[in-house]
Amino acid sequence: MNDGSWGGIAGNEWRNGNSIMVAELPPELRPQTFNTEVSDRLRQLGIAIQQARHSV
């Protein structure tokens, strides 16, 4: 698994409140801060782009 995958897993676990797992991650992969509003907007943007691609 690459660092991006581990970063995603760490972010998910942090949001889900799994502080035990996050504590076991190497320091460079631990989430420092996580902006859920930005994350949600990026997810919505990704969905909109996918829908636009399929409709063309």
Side-chain angles (χ1 to χ4, degrees):
M1 228 181 253
N2 64 30
D3 284 351
S5 297
W6 282 114
I9 291 169
N12 288 336
E13 292 301 317
W14 181 80
R15 275 181 292 170
N16 292 331
N18 188 344
S19 60
I20 295 170
M21 184 197 162
V22 171
E24 296 297 321
L25 292 171
E28 65 272 10
L29 296 179
R30 292 181 192 163
Q32 300 300 314
T33 60
F34 191 80
N35 188 326
T36 57
E37 181 179 351
V38 171
S39 177
D40 189 49
R41 288 180 187 228
L42 288 172
R43 183 185 58 77
Q44 291 173 7
L45 177 60
I47 291 168
I49 290 170
Q50 282 183 330
Q51 290 173 344
R53 285 183 182 165
H54 292 298
S55 66
V56 172

